[in-house]
């Protein structure tokens, strides 16, 4: 893995790093505050929806019309969402409009209130990146745009999920496959920790399920973990491939975004209500809890959640992909664990982190997610599973603007 040089050949000076670290404290507090508001409102709306499911989910197509109208009327470049963040990170664009913050926040709330199957991390990353990038113009640093964007992404991810180390490495490795932005490791870590601490103090709860018993690694267990890694890698890449394909196919079949979200929203509403009475609405945290706690998980839960999330996002509803990916991986793990004779909670955790990793083409971030969410006792199994999941096709990612390092 190559270290990405974010500045000129002389690199960042210690003075630059001190300045960035002090700024990271302010950034983390600010983004943590925004994450706390966004996250707590989202949780409240999701709980309200679960109690009034059959009244709210039928309104989803109308909510979709409002979402499309808001984006058509006000978005401009912000309509590119995570694509714009990646373009700025690659110096293909030089501005992230501040209107992205209220726009993506409100439309994601609408998606979840009325039952769309979507995530939230894309919103948090966009929020953090937008806030941080707005300050880059005030610092005379080489390649300040990319530096501040990376720090903001880490703060946004860390503040929402409260996994600051994972968030740090996610932002450092996700822009270009095979590279790490290590010159700004320390300020990025500070921003992530400050955001995580701030959101926690403001009442945003972290999901964690510590698995205290470590798995003994012998040849048989290693082979089982390798098979799991390949299975989870295929699931993650299936999600990324279908999401890219569905967006193109749906747009070609229904080029008018209003017809697309209205007609597709009607079909989506029917599917969400028919399939286990709303089991696959929202983030998918219900599936995660059932998986790690040994609850009832059906063999096709992971596939239904995958397909419905792809359909939701392809129609124009807003949100991220990561929490549904966690749910897909955890529920698939709960199905595979008895077949391989491994603990269900552990394999659910392995699926949780590795389906995310394979669909985002990240390696270190998912390993640290495992450590921060499920505890360090099984760090070696996390690494083994991710190593094999990482083998699967690197050309497919939920982030279409992600670039691959060219081999010298």
């Amino acid at each position: 893995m190559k270290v990405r040089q974010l500045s000129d050949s002389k690199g960042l000076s210690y003075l630059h790093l001190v300045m960035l670290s002090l700024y990271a404290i302010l950034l983390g507090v600010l983004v943590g505050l925004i994450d706390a508001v966004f996250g707590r409102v989202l949780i409240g709306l999701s709980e309200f929806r679960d109690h009034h499911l059959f009244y709210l989910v039928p309104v989803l197509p109308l909510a979709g019309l409002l979402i499309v109208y808001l984006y058509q009327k006000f978005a401009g470049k912000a309509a590119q969402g995570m694509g714009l963040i990646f373009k700025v990170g690659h110096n293909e664009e030089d501005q992230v409009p501040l209107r992205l913050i209220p726009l993506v926040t409100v439309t994601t709330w609408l998606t979840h209130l009325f039952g769309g199957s979507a995530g939230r991390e894309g919103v948090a990353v966009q929020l953090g990146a937008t806030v941080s990038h707005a300050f880059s113009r005030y610092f005379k640093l080489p390649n300040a745009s990319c530096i501040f964007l990376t720090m903001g992404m880490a703060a946004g991810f860390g503040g929402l999920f409260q996994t600051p180390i994972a968030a740090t490495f996610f932002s450092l490795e996700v822009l270009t496959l095979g590279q790490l932005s290590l010159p700004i490791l320390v300020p990025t870590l500070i921003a992530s920790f400050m955001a995580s601490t701030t959101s926690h103090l403001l009442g945003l709860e972290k999901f964690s399920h510590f698995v205290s018993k470590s798995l003994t690694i012998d040849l048989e267990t290693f082979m089982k973990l390798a098979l799991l890694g390949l299975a989870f890698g295929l699931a993650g890449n299936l999600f990324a491939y279908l999401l890219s394909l569905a967006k193109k196919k749906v747009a070609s079949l229904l080029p008018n975004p209003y017809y697309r979200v209205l007609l597709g929203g009607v079909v989506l509403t029917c599917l969400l209500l028919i399939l286990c009475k709303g089991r696959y609405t929202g983030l998918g945290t219900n599936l995660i809890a059932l998986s790690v706690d040994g609850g009832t998980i059906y063999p096709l839960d992971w596939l239904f959640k995958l397909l419905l999330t792809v359909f939701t996002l392809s129609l124009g509803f807003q949100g991220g992909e990561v929490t549904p990916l966690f749910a897909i991986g955890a529920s698939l793990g709960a199905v595979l664990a008895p077949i391989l004779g491994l603990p269900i909670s552990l394999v659910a955790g392995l699926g949780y982190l590795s389906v995310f990793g394979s669909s985002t083409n990240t390696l270190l971030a998912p390993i640290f997610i495992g450590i921060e969410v499920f505890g360090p006792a099984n760090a070696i199994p996390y690494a083994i599973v991710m190593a094999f999941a990482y083998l699967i096709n690197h050309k497919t990612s939920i982030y279409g603007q992600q670039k691959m390092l060219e081999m010298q």
Side-chain angles (χ1 to χ4, degrees):
M1 185 170 285
K2 183 177 179 180
V3 176
R4 188 190 313 146
Q5 296 296 331
L6 287 176
S7 57
D8 57 21
S9 58
K10 296 181 180 179
L12 294 170
S13 68
Y14 285 116
L15 178 59
H16 288 154
L17 291 175
V18 170
M19 291 170 55
L20 287 173
S21 297
L22 292 174
Y23 162 75
I25 297 173
L26 173 63
L27 172 66
V29 171
L30 183 57
V31 174
L33 171 62
I34 296 173
D35 274 351
V37 173
F38 168 72
R40 293 192 66 178
V41 171
L42 183 62
I43 291 171
L45 293 175
S46 298
E47 291 176 349
F48 182 77
R49 179 202 66 232
D50 289 342
H51 286 95
H52 303 86
L53 197 69
F54 289 92
Y55 296 101
L56 292 174
V57 175
V59 187
L60 183 62
L62 298 180
L65 288 176
L66 177 57
I67 290 170
V68 170
Y69 171 77
L70 291 173
Y71 266 81
Q72 293 283 317
K73 183 73 174 179
F74 302 108
K77 284 186 177 181
Q80 299 177 59
M82 282 296 293
L84 178 61
I85 302 301
F86 273 76
K87 286 182 179 179
V88 173
H90 295 140
N91 295 315
E92 297 171 4
E93 294 279 357
D94 58 5
Q95 187 178 7
V96 184
L98 286 174
R99 62 178 174 273
L100 183 149
I101 295 175
L103 189 62
V104 73
T105 298
V106 171
T107 54
T108 300
W109 284 343
L110 286 171
T111 296
H112 283 279
L113 175 62
F114 296 104
S117 178
R120 54 185 173 175
E121 99 302 329
V123 181
V125 170
Q126 290 176 62
L127 294 177
T130 303
V131 170
S132 183
H133 192 265
F135 288 94
S136 63
R137 71 191 72 174
Y138 302 111
F139 289 77
K140 302 299 181 181
L141 295 175
N143 207 5
S145 178
C146 185
I147 292 172
F148 280 73
L149 191 83
T150 301
M151 294 170 62
M153 291 171 66
F157 195 111
L160 188 64
F161 288 105
Q162 295 176 19
T163 53
I165 301 178
T168 298
F169 282 97
F170 174 80
S171 66
L172 294 178
E173 67 178 323
V174 74
L175 289 175
T176 303
L177 179 63
Q179 290 186 342
L180 276 178
S181 308
L182 290 182
I184 56 167
L185 173 61
V186 170
T188 303
L189 185 63
I190 292 172
S192 183
F193 262 101
M194 289 302 300
S196 175
T197 302
T198 301
S199 65
H200 179 72
L201 291 175
L202 292 175
L204 190 61
E205 296 182 1
K206 172 188 176 182
F207 168 74
S208 62
H209 182 91
F210 272 35
V211 180
S212 58
K213 186 176 180 179
S214 60
L215 195 64
T216 302
I217 307 298
D218 54 22
L219 180 59
E220 181 183 354
T221 303
F222 183 90
M223 295 300 296
K224 290 179 179 179
L225 293 175
L227 289 173
L228 286 172
L230 294 173
F232 294 141
L234 288 171
N237 274 264
L238 176 64
F239 179 92
Y241 171 76
L242 290 180
L243 181 60
S244 175
L245 179 66
K247 286 182 176 180
K248 294 175 183 177
K249 290 294 185 181
V250 173
S252 65
L253 290 173
L254 294 169
N256 185 306
Y258 291 101
Y259 291 154
R260 185 190 314 151
V261 79
L262 179 62
L263 298 177
V266 170
V267 176
L268 178 61
T269 295
C270 294
L271 291 173
L272 289 170
L273 292 177
I274 291 171
L275 293 173
C276 297
K277 300 179 180 179
R279 184 178 177 89
Y280 308 111
T281 58
L283 295 166
T285 51
N286 58 323
L287 296 178
I288 295 171
L290 290 170
S291 299
V292 299
D293 292 332
T296 301
I297 288 292
Y298 304 122
L300 294 182
D301 270 343
W302 70 275
L303 184 59
F304 285 141
K305 186 62 179 176
L306 186 154
L307 294 175
L308 289 169
T309 303
V310 165
F311 193 30
T312 298
L313 296 176
S314 68
L315 294 175
F317 293 99
Q318 295 301 308
E321 301 91 354
V322 167
T323 306
L325 285 169
F326 289 157
I328 293 164
S331 52
L332 177 58
V335 172
L336 295 178
I339 299 174
L340 295 176
L342 295 174
I344 292 178
S345 60
L346 173 60
V347 180
L350 293 171
Y352 180 103
L353 64 95
S354 56
V355 170
F356 156 72
S358 66
S359 64
T360 58
N361 281 331
T362 54
L363 175 65
L364 299 177
I367 294 173
F368 281 112
I369 283 177
I371 293 172
E372 292 182 284
V373 173
F374 298 99
N378 288 285
I380 293 176
Y382 304 155
I384 293 172
V385 170
M386 264 313 305
F388 283 91
Y390 196 73
L391 283 175
I392 307 299
N393 185 11
H394 291 162
K395 296 180 181 179
T396 304
S397 171
I398 59 173
Y399 304 126
Q401 298 295 326
Q402 188 178 54
K403 291 188 176 181
M404 182 181 296
L405 175 66
E406 295 183 2
M407 300 302 293
Q408 300 295 326

